[in-house]
Amino acid sequence: MTLFRTSAGGRIDRARPVTFSFDGRTLTGFAGDTLASALIANGVHLVGRSYKYHRPRGLMAAGVEEANGLIEVDRGGGRTTPNLRATQVELFDGLVARSQNRWPSLAMDFGAVNDLLSPLFSAGFYYKTFMGPRFIGSNKAWTKLYEPIIRRAAGLGKSPSAPDPDHYASTFAHCDVLIAGAGPAGLAAALSASESGLRVIIADEQAEFGGWLLTDTATEIDGQSASAWISDAVATLAARPKVRMLPRTQAFGYFAQNFFGLAERCTDHLAEPDQASPRERLWQVRAKQVVLATGAIERPLVFPGNDRPGIMLADAARTYAARYGALPGKRAVLLTATDTGYDAARMLQAAGVEIAAVADVRPDQPRVESDGFRRVDGRTIATTAGRLRVASITFGTETIPCDLILMSGGWTPSVHLFSQSRGKLAWSDAVNAYIPGKSAQAEHSAGACRGVFGLTETINDGFAAGAAAAAACGKPTPARSIKTSDTQKSYRGILGACGMPAKHARAFVDFQHDVTTKDLKLATQEGFRSIEHVKRYTTTGMATDQGKTSNLNALAIVAGHVSKSIPEVGLTTFRQPYTPVTFGTLAGHNRGDLFDPVRRTPIDGWAQQRGAVFEDVGLWKRARYFPRAGEDMQAAVNRECKTVRSAAGVFDASTLGKIEVTGPDAAEFLERMYVNNWKNLAVGRCRYGILLNEQGFIIDDGVIGRMAPDVFHVTTTTGGAARVLHMMEDYLQTEWPELKCWLTSTSEQWAVIAVQGPKARDIIAPLVSGIDLSAVAFPHMAVREGKVCGVDTRLFRVSFTGEAGFEINVPADYGRDVWEAVWREAEKHGACAYGTETMHVLRAEKGFIIVGQETDGTMTPEDVGLTWAVGKAKRDFVGKRSLIRPDMVVPGRKQLVGLLTKDRNVVLEEGAQITSDASPGPGTSALGHVTSAYWSESLGRSIALAVVAGGRQRQGETLHVPMPSGGIAVEVVSPVFIDAKGERLNG
Amino acid sequence: MAEASRSEAAQRRSVLSGLSLANRAGDIAIAEVPIVQRFVLRGDAAQLEDIFGVNLPTEPLRAAGTVEAAALKLGPDEWLLLTANSAPLASALQTRVRGTASALVDVSHRNIGLDLGGQRAADVLASACPLDFDLTAFPIGQCTRTIYGKAEVIVWRTAAQAFHLEVWRSFAPYVVALLGEAVAGLPPAHAHVPASRQN
C-alpha cells in the first residue's frame, strides 16, 4: 500500500497491482489507475518543467485539460510518444514514462536559470529577438545567438527520431446520430437516440464511459447509485445492435456537413499488445445528427504563486480521491469561487485530508455554511512557497502550511467542437462563459458544454438532445426524464486575477506556455488590442492544450486592461484537433509502399529481371535504362542510342495515355479539341495532334490514329492521360453536349511495344499476320489491325526516334508474352531494349519536343515550330482565339532552337539561362533557357534544345550560357540534329 | 522459323498472379473473379436493350445479371458489360452497335475483377471508401464508381455480404495490398462494451 492510497473505494482494481517506472524510479499502482493517479498515490506531484522558465510543475488536473503533466511514454523499439497528458495515460505493467524539458533531472534542472532571467522572456520576447541588438546586426543575432538558445531551452517533448514501427488503421463510418462524450449527458442522449433503432455512435476519450459521474460517489439517480446508473446505461446501449460504443476515442475535429474525425487508441493501454493489431484508428464519420456532450472544464484561479506542484483544481483532487483512491495531499487549503469547491473539500476531508482553511474568493457571495471549515479572506492571498512542492500559502500576514492547494475558479463549458462546427458562440452572464448560440450544422449541444449544470438537469438535457436528434432523423422517441438527489449549486466562479496584486510572485494564466498576468498587461501596454493579436504576442492559449484552462481568464484580464467587456473583446478561434493527434493516426495506411499507388506495366517484370533502372513518371515506374555489367547510366544510354540507330531498339511505351473517341461525331469533336484537321484523316492513317488550353498554350500532344470513320485511337502523354480525358469530358458535357461522341480511357487496355530502328520491320515481320508491312503498303504515320503472336493488335507505324519504327498495341494481359516474342526476334538482329533516358536523347536528336520539357505552359505551336500542324482554315478549336492576341504574335517571343556548344564535349545544364553576353552584369534579363541537353553518342558531341527570344532569326549567332565557372559559348542552330529530310523515318 | 514464332500464341497473364489476396477464416474472403470480357457501352440503350443477354438497367447505378453476363449502369448513357464467357463477343457486339447512336469499346484487359465476400466485407470496404455500405444506403444490385484509398474502383453489391470490385489493372496491386491492410486493421464487429467496474 502506497503512502497516499486510501484503504478502500475507487474504481481501481486493488487485486491487480501494476509496476511502472517514472524517470527511472520503479513505482507501483493498480489496474484502473492513470499514470497521474498512480503518481499521486505515490506522493509524486512534480512531473514536469515549464516551457519557458523551467519552473517545477505538478499535476493540475485529472483529465484532458492537464496543462503541466506532459510526459513521454517509451514502449521500446522506437515507440516513444512525447507530450502525452499523464492524466490520460492508462497504467499497465511495465509502463516506462519520463518527464520532459529538464536537464539533467526533474529536481535539478539547469534550464531553471531562465526563471531568474525571466525579465528577458517577457511577452513577445520571441519577436523582439528578430530586431535586436544593433551592434551584432539583427539577422546575425537571430541565427547565431537567439535561435540556438531558444531551440535548446524552449519546447516540450522531443519528437521520436526512429521510424514509427507501429501500424495505424483507419475507417469511414456513417450513422444517424453521433454523440461526442459519454458522460451523463452523452449517455442519456445515446439512450434516447438509439431507442428507435437508429444507427448511433458514441465516443469518449476515457477508457470507461461515465465522464465526471464516475467521480460522484454520493448522488443517487432515480434511487440507484451513479455507478449503477452508468452500468445500466452501458448495458442497454450494448444490447442495441446499431449502437457502436467507442471508448478511448477522442472526437478531435468537427468539419463541414457533420463530418467528424475521431482518434481511437487501440493498444497503448496494453502491456503486451498484439503487434499485428493497429495502435490507433482514425474514424472519419459522417453523421446525420450530432449531439455534443463534451462537458465543462474547471478553471484554475489566477493568484500570485499559483503554479507550484501541489496546487491543483479542486474537482481534480476530488477525482483522484474518489475515482482512484489516491490522496493528493495531507493538509489542504481550498480557494474557491464555486460551490463545487466545497463539495470537493468535504469529500477529501471525509477521505482523510485535513482542510486547513477555506478562502472564498467571490467578491459578492461568499457562501456561509456550517461546515466547520476555517475561513480566511480570499482577497488577501499574497503568495505561496515551496520549491518542488507547495509548502505554504500566505494570506496577508498569515502563512498557512499545507501540501495541497485546491482551486475552483468556475466551470468553462467545452465549446471547442461546437466552435469548430462554425456554430456561433454567445456570451452568458449567468454561466460566466461563452456557450453555444446558433448551430451552424445539424447539431445539438447537451449538458455542461452548453452551461447546463447539475446532475438532474444534465441528464434530462441529454435525453432531450438525443430525442431531438432522433426526431430530426424521422424516428421520434418518447420523452424521458430522471430525478436525482443532487442539490442546487453555483458553478459560475470568477474570471481573471484574484488575491493581492502580483508583485514579485507571478500569477500564471497559461500554465503550459508560461504566460503570466504581467505578460498580458505588457502586451496591452505595447498597444495590442485585438485578442487575436494578444494571443499571438504572448502565446497565451497557443500551447498543445490550446488554452483549455486559460483562455477565459486571459480574456477577462485583457478586457480589464483595455476597459471593455468580455464579449467586446471577443474570443479566439478554436481549431482542430481538440487534443493532439499522432501523425500515425492521420497518415493511416498512406505510408511506405501504400503512400501512393505504384503503377507498373505488364512488361515491368521483364525489365526488373533484366536489371533495368527505373524512374518515376507520375505514379508509373518506367525503365530508364538497361545497364550491362560495368556500365553507368551514360555508358548504357550511349550504347542504347547507337544500337537503335544502327540496328533497332525495343521500348515499353505502355504508359502512354490512350483514349478511344467513338461515335458519329468523333471527328468533329477532335476537330474542335485539337489544333489539327481530323475530318480529312483517312481510316488507317495517323496524325500528330497538338492540344492547347484556352489560353492558346500547348498542354499535351500525341499521335491519333483513325481506326474507323467513327473510331479514333487517341494517345496522350503519360502524365497527361487523366488530365486530357477530364478536359475532353468537360468540353463534351458542358460545351458540346449535342455531339454524339463518347470517350473511354483505354490506357490500361493496351500494352504498347515500340520497335524502332533500321531493323524494326525485320524484327516484327515473323510475328505479324494479316498486315502487309512493306513501306509502300504501310507508310509512316499509318495504323493497321491484324494479329501479332496470334492476338489482336493495333499496329502503328510511328516514330519518336527519327528511325523507322512500329508501335505494337496488344491487349495488356498479352503484353508480357508478346514483348518476349519481340525480344527473341530483336536479339537475332542485334537490337537492344532501351529506356526512357535513351528515348529522350533520340527524340532530342530529331528535334521532337516533350510537352512539359520544351513547353512550360507558355508556349504556342508557333513558338515550338509546330505551326505546320495547325489547321489554318478551321473555324475554331480550343485556344484558337488566343493565338491571335497581340502578345501572342509579337516578335521576340521565345522560340525553340537547337544549341551546339563551341566545345563539343561540354553538356549544358537543363534550365540554365541564356544571354548574349558571356559574363552578364547583375540585373541582365535572360534571352531564354536550356530545355534539354544531352550527350549524343551518334553525333559524337553534346546537343541541346532551348527556347530563346526571337530564336529562329538568331541561327548562326553565338550566345552564352553563364555558369558559376564562367560563360559557355553556344551556337544557335536548327533543333533538328539528324536526318532533317526524314529519309530514315520513311525507310 | 518465322512460322514457328507466329504459332507461339501469346497467353493472357493476370496482373493478380503472384499476389496474395487477404482472407480471414469465417468473415472475409477475397478472390479474383474470372471476368474474361468487358465492354463499355455508351449511347442510346433503347435500341440495344437485349444486346448482352441481360436487360440493360435503366435506373442509375444499378446492375443486372450475374458474372456470366452483367450490365452495370454507371452514367446517364454508360454501361459496363461484364462476362465470364470466353467465346469472343467483340465483333458480334460491334456489328449490333454499328449504325445506332451508340458506341462500344473493348476494355477486357483494362480492369481486373475481385470478389469481396463475408460478414465483414462492407467493413473492409469502409476502411478506405467514404461511401455508406449499410444495406439501406447501398442495397443489393447497386453499383458505382468510387475510390478505394487513392485508386478508382467500381463497387457492385452482388449480395448482402458480397461485393464485386472492378479495378484498373495497374492499380490492382495497390488495391489488393490495401484490402489486406484493411482486414488487419478492422475494428471489432459490433459494439464492444467499454470496461466498467462497479464500486
Side-chain angles (χ1 to χ4, degrees):
Chain A
M1 180 62 58
T2 46
L3 206 53
F4 291 88
R5 189 71 80 174
T6 59
S7 55
R11 301 177 76 85
I12 48 172
D13 186 348
R14 289 170 195 262
R16 287 170 57 208
V18 164
T19 304
F20 68 103
S21 99
F22 180 67
D23 278 348
R25 259 176 85 192
T26 302
L27 300 168
T28 58
F30 290 117
D33 261 325
T34 61
L35 175 60
S37 71
L39 287 172
I40 284 190
N42 282 279
V44 177
H45 279 244
L46 175 66
V47 288
R49 287 279 177 165
S50 72
Y51 181 69
K52 235 171 24 177
Y53 304 128
H54 288 246
R55 286 173 64 86
R57 286 284 165 78
L59 293 159
M60 185 178 88
V64 64
E65 70 275 26
E66 175 60 40
N68 296 330
L70 297 187
I71 50 88
E72 175 181 276
V73 169
D74 186 348
R75 289 176 300 127
R79 296 174 168 85
T80 60
T81 312
N83 295 344
L84 289 172
R85 291 153 299 283
T87 50
Q88 291 187 293
V89 174
E90 290 176 60
L91 206 64
F92 59 82
D93 213 29
L95 173 77
V96 176
R98 286 189 285 266
S99 57
Q100 304 181 153
N101 201 31
R102 82 292 189 272
W103 187 83
S105 75
L106 198 51
M108 167 78 188
D109 174 21
F110 288 162
V113 68
N114 285 5
D115 202 18
L116 302 174
L117 302 175
S118 62
L120 291 180
F121 296 102
S122 60
F125 82 97
Y126 184 77
Y127 301 102
K128 286 165 184 161
T129 61
F130 294 148
M131 299 187 281
R134 200 157 279 177
F135 64 91
I136 317 182
S138 58
N139 198 28
K140 277 219 174 80
W142 170 247
T143 55
K144 300 276 185 247
L145 176 67
Y146 293 120
E147 195 200 359
I149 293 174
I150 292 171
R151 275 203 189 283
R152 212 171 310 134
L156 303 164
K158 287 196 180 66
S159 46
S161 52
D164 188 338
D166 282 318
H167 166 76
Y168 296 83
S170 65
T171 191
F172 292 90
H174 299 258
C175 62
D176 296 304
V177 185
L178 172 69
I179 295 151
L187 285 173
L191 288 169
S192 269
S194 63
E195 200 168 342
S196 49
L198 290 173
R199 288 195 285 170
V200 171
I201 294 176
I202 176 168
D204 193 281
E205 46 93 9
Q206 297 203 33
E208 264 188 290
F209 277 10
W212 60 266
L213 201 48
L214 296 167
T215 289
D216 191 333
T217 48
T219 315
E220 291 196 335
I221 303 169
D222 278 350
Q224 60 180 169
S225 73
S227 88
W229 186 84
I230 295 169
S231 303
D232 283 1
V234 168
T236 304
L237 293 173
R240 292 179 180 165
K242 291 194 171 178
V243 176
R244 184 178 280 278
M245 288 186 278
L246 294 173
R248 300 188 176 92
T249 303
Q250 178 70 58
F252 68 82
Y254 192 153
F255 305 90
Q257 290 147 354
N258 270 359
F259 192 64
F260 255 84
L262 317 177
E264 181 187 7
R265 306 186 307 276
C266 305
T267 58
D268 270 7
H269 61 290
L270 301 173
E272 285 172 8
D274 175 3
Q275 296 300 329
S277 64
R279 178 186 172 211
E280 294 178 0
R281 180 179 290 111
L282 175 68
W283 291 78
Q284 296 179 82
V285 182
R286 183 81 67 184
K288 288 191 185 121
Q289 295 282 319
V290 167
V291 176
L292 298 177
T294 49
I297 289 173
E298 194 171 26
R299 280 191 301 279
L301 288 166
V302 180
F303 61 92
N306 63 344
D307 72 326
R308 296 182 197 282
I311 304 179
M312 65 165 53
L313 297 169
D315 206 64
R318 174 183 165 188
T319 298
Y320 285 122
R323 185 168 167 192
Y324 301 103
L327 296 180
K330 301 237 178 265
R331 183 176 156 88
V333 171
L334 168 69
L335 312 177
T336 186
T338 67
D339 295 350
T340 57
Y342 290 90
D343 290 350
R346 268 195 305 277
M347 188 274 148
L348 287 164
Q349 188 178 46
V353 178
E354 178 192 352
I355 305 297
V358 169
D360 200 314
V361 300
R362 284 174 281 195
D364 48 343
Q365 42 162 1
R367 168 168 140 163
V368 179
E369 254 185 40
S370 53
D371 49 22
F373 293 142
R374 187 186 157 222
R375 301 306 172 113
V376 283
D377 185 348
R379 286 168 299 182
T380 65
I381 305 170
T383 190
T384 63
R387 195 171 80 84
L388 299 177
R389 175 81 187 256
V390 68
S392 68
I393 178 167
T394 302
F395 295 89
T397 54
E398 185 194 7
T399 296
I400 302 175
C402 61
D403 62 355
L404 177 65
I405 296 176
L406 308 170
M407 305 181 278
S408 182
W411 291 86
T412 309
S414 292
V415 295
H416 307 67
L417 292 176
F418 175 83
S419 178
Q420 288 177 17
S421 79
R422 300 278 164 206
K424 279 296 247 194
L425 291 169
W427 176 258
S428 164
D429 272 326
V431 180
N432 213 16
Y434 283 99
I435 58 170
K438 194 170 166 19
S439 294
Q441 302 198 35
E443 167 274 337
H444 315 258
S445 288
C449 72
R450 69 178 194 102
V452 174
F453 297 107
L455 188 57
T456 315
E457 295 84 347
T458 298
I459 292 178
N460 288 335
D461 202 37
F463 283 136
C473 290
K475 293 270 181 101
T477 56
R480 297 172 59 152
S481 70
I482 47 88
K483 288 193 177 65
T484 77
S485 61
D486 192 29
T487 53
Q488 275 290 318
K489 288 193 245 325
S490 168
Y491 295 81
R492 231 181 140 258
I494 62 162
L495 292 170
C498 63
M500 308 278 280
K503 283 198 181 123
H504 294 296
R506 275 162 287 166
F508 284 84
V509 180
D510 184 328
F511 290 76
Q512 202 168 86
H513 256 177
D514 266 356
V515 181
T516 66
T517 50
K518 285 179 188 168
D519 294 323
L520 296 172
K521 187 174 179 191
L522 184 64
T524 56
Q525 280 172 350
E526 292 188 3
F528 293 94
R529 288 294 177 272
S530 156
I531 189 64
E532 294 282 2
H533 289 154
V534 172
K535 170 180 166 176
R536 281 155 187 80
Y537 195 59
T538 62
T539 75
T540 188
M542 286 174 70
T544 67
D545 66 349
Q546 290 193 57
K548 289 185 176 64
T549 51
S550 64
N551 278 341
L552 273 188
N553 281 331
L555 258 184
I557 291 165
V558 170
H561 287 311
V562 300
S563 303
K564 284 182 178 172
S565 69
I566 291 176
E568 282 173 324
V569 173
L571 187 63
T572 57
T573 310
F574 293 98
R575 293 195 170 82
Q576 305 92 351
Y578 176 69
T579 53
V581 179
T582 63
F583 283 118
T585 296
L586 297 176
H589 305 304
N590 300 302
R591 56 187 290 189
D593 288 346
L594 293 177
F595 179 71
D596 254 342
V598 175
R599 304 178 71 182
R600 295 181 182 278
T601 75
I603 296 147
D604 181 272
W606 187 91
Q608 285 193 48
Q609 285 168 11
R610 296 285 162 145
V613 175
F614 288 83
E615 69 169 337
D616 292 337
V617 180
L619 298 176
W620 289 101
K621 292 283 181 198
R622 298 197 72 180
R624 193 173 183 196
Y625 55 96
F626 291 81
R628 291 187 180 161
E631 281 183 342
D632 61 6
M633 180 170 105
Q634 191 61 55
V637 170
N638 288 348
R639 172 184 49 75
E640 290 173 14
C641 286
K642 282 200 83 160
T643 309
V644 173
R645 297 236 183 268
S646 63
V650 189
F651 176 71
D652 179 5
S654 302
T655 62
L656 275 184
K658 300 161 210 86
I659 301 166
E660 194 93 330
V661 179
T662 54
D665 293 327
E668 173 65 28
F669 173 72
L670 290 177
E671 192 93 351
R672 297 184 191 183
M673 289 302 303
Y674 282 78
V675 303
N676 319 67
N677 291 308
W678 298 103
K679 290 180 180 169
N680 64 2
L681 183 70
V683 171
R685 297 308 301 256
C686 319
R687 191 162 281 168
Y688 170 67
I690 299 169
L691 186 66
L692 308 183
N693 58 15
E694 290 195 350
Q695 292 71 41
F697 298 125
I698 297 174
I699 55 166
D700 206 75
D701 66 352
V703 169
I704 299 176
R706 191 165 201 168
M707 310 311 301
D710 57 350
V711 178
F712 288 83
H713 180 114
V714 174
T715 66
T716 72
T717 58
T718 296
R723 194 170 59 234
V724 170
L725 181 65
H726 289 158
M727 177 183 171
M728 287 182 172
E729 272 294 352
D730 191 357
Y731 273 95
L732 195 53
Q733 293 185 24
T734 63
E735 302 293 327
W736 313 312
E738 74 282 3
L739 292 186
K740 290 245 173 297
C741 170
W742 297 279
L743 311 170
T744 304
S745 172
T746 48
S747 298
E748 299 241 38
Q749 165 69 12
W750 302 104
V752 183
I753 302 160
V755 185
Q756 301 275 308
K759 303 279 191 190
R761 184 180 291 112
D762 298 338
I763 291 169
I764 68 166
L767 309 174
V768 175
S769 54
I771 301 172
D772 182 348
L773 294 176
S774 69
V776 179
F778 193 4
H780 181 53
M781 295 307 268
V783 58
R784 299 285 180 266
E785 287 182 283
K787 300 269 188 196
V788 60
C789 300
V791 300
D792 292 336
T793 183
R794 286 180 177 177
L795 184 61
F796 285 75
R797 171 111 196 251
V798 288
S799 172
F800 196 45
T801 58
E803 301 298 324
F806 297 89
E807 287 186 359
I808 304 166
N809 286 249
V810 287
D813 283 353
Y814 297 121
R816 176 73 184 265
D817 273 14
V818 173
W819 173 278
E820 293 199 15
V822 169
W823 177 246
R824 283 192 294 274
E825 294 300 320
E827 277 192 305
K828 295 175 194 166
H829 295 277
C832 68
Y834 67 97
T836 50
E837 192 64 25
T838 295
M839 178 266 281
H840 284 157
V841 178
L842 294 171
R843 64 88 208 178
E845 288 173 345
K846 182 66 180 167
F848 290 150
I849 65 161
I850 288 182
V851 171
Q853 190 155 342
E854 272 61 56
T855 71
D856 60 0
T858 67
M859 304 301 284
T860 66
E862 167 72 14
D863 294 340
V864 293
L866 292 173
T867 311
W868 57 265
V870 181
K872 314 268 177 329
K874 283 170 65 171
R875 197 175 57 84
D876 201 6
F877 56 82
V878 175
K880 181 177 165 73
R881 277 190 308 169
S882 297
L883 292 179
I884 52 166
R885 274 173 33 215
D887 62 320
M888 298 289 256
V889 294
V890 76
R893 284 184 62 83
K894 288 179 187 168
Q895 294 173 326
L896 181 72
V897 294
L899 297 180
L900 289 177
T901 50
K902 299 282 182 179
D903 178 348
R904 62 194 298 123
N905 292 314
V906 174
V907 179
L908 296 172
E909 273 189 32
E910 290 177 356
Q913 304 291 301
I914 298 165
T915 56
S916 51
D917 198 345
S919 47
T924 308
S925 296
L927 292 171
H929 66 275
V930 178
T931 58
S932 296
Y934 307 99
W935 174 258
S936 166
E937 186 72 1
S938 302
L939 298 169
R941 61 156 302 130
S942 77
I943 57 165
L945 298 175
V947 291
V948 175
R952 282 199 282 278
Q953 271 70 54
R954 292 179 186 268
Q955 290 207 5
E957 268 183 42
T958 296
L959 296 176
H960 299 274
V961 176
M963 298 299 288
S965 54
I968 300 167
V970 296
E971 186 189 342
V972 179
V973 297
S974 150
V976 183
F977 297 95
I978 61 152
D979 191 28
K981 290 184 184 148
E983 285 159 354
R984 303 175 70 90
L985 204 61
N986 293 303
Chain B
M1 176 78 190
E3 284 308 312
S5 284
R6 204 170 279 142
S7 65
E8 281 173 35
Q11 302 299 310
R12 273 187 90 154
R13 297 188 191 280
S14 168
V15 67
L16 291 178
S17 64
L19 297 179
S20 67
L21 300 176
N23 279 279
R24 201 166 78 174
D27 57 7
I28 299 158
I30 303 175
E32 182 169 10
V33 188
I35 295 294
V36 180
Q37 298 180 83
R38 298 175 173 82
F39 303 93
V40 171
L41 176 65
R42 300 292 300 270
D44 182 3
Q47 304 173 54
L48 297 164
E49 203 190 328
D50 61 336
I51 185 169
F52 207 56
V54 287
N55 285 336
L56 295 180
T58 52
E59 201 183 330
L61 306 182
R62 289 286 153 167
T66 66
V67 290
E68 289 307 310
L72 284 63
K73 182 160 187 182
L74 296 173
D77 64 349
E78 178 182 359
W79 290 264
L80 178 66
L81 310 179
L82 306 173
T83 177
N85 187 345
S86 60
L89 286 169
S91 56
L93 292 176
Q94 289 289 12
T95 307
R96 272 292 310 274
V97 168
R98 195 142 290 147
T100 67
S102 321
L104 185 96
V105 178
D106 186 342
V107 291
S108 299
H109 292 235
R110 187 181 73 174
N111 305 357
I112 55 103
L114 287 172
D115 187 69
L116 167 63
Q119 273 177 15
R120 304 300 307 280
D123 296 331
V124 173
L125 278 182
S127 164
C129 177
L131 293 180
D132 186 356
F133 291 105
D134 190 80
L135 260 174
T136 56
F138 202 99
I140 297 166
Q142 175 126 25
C143 60
T144 188
R145 226 186 316 250
T146 179
I147 53 164
Y148 194 68
K150 296 180 180 176
E152 181 181 302
V153 295
I154 291 166
V155 177
W156 164 28
R157 186 170 218 149
T158 53
Q161 294 177 356
F163 297 88
H164 180 112
L165 309 183
E166 286 279 315
V167 184
W168 279 18
R169 58 174 293 126
S170 72
F171 287 94
Y174 169 84
V175 169
V176 164
L178 196 53
L179 286 167
E181 285 269 309
V183 171
L186 274 184
H190 169 57
H192 66 298
V193 184
S196 189
R197 283 174 293 274
Q198 285 289 325
N199 274 358

